[in-house]
Amino acid sequence: MNDTAMTLSTELAQALANETYLADCLKCNGEHAQYRFWQSPNGACLNDHWSIQCPDCGFRDSDTAPADRGEHIFAM
């Protein structure tokens, strides 16, 4: 790998979002649900991803969750 390609891949890795925070659960209103947002490279574009996990009630959801799982949140 040449220096230019290594610099670009390093800059891309540093620019990718990877955020986690705690907030109220959408299912039980517990205050300890972990919300995560991150990005992954897809050629010249970035894919956005998200997930929610609640330790209080066990609720889980993400942008990769199967639609027939019964826990998926539908946007209104």
Side-chain angles (χ1 to χ4, degrees), residues 13-56:
Q14 291 174 347
L16 295 176
N18 188 8
E19 304 168 7
T20 303
Y21 60 95
L22 297 179
D24 293 347
C25 176
L26 298 173
K27 186 173 182 181
C28 74
N29 291 326
E31 299 176 354
H32 304 105
Q34 182 182 53
Y35 288 74
R36 182 171 177 235
F37 170 76
W38 71 98
Q39 294 176 317
S40 64
N42 182 9
C45 301
L46 293 176
N47 291 331
D48 293 338
H49 304 281
W50 58 270
S51 69
I52 305 168
Q53 297 182 35
C54 180
D56 297 334

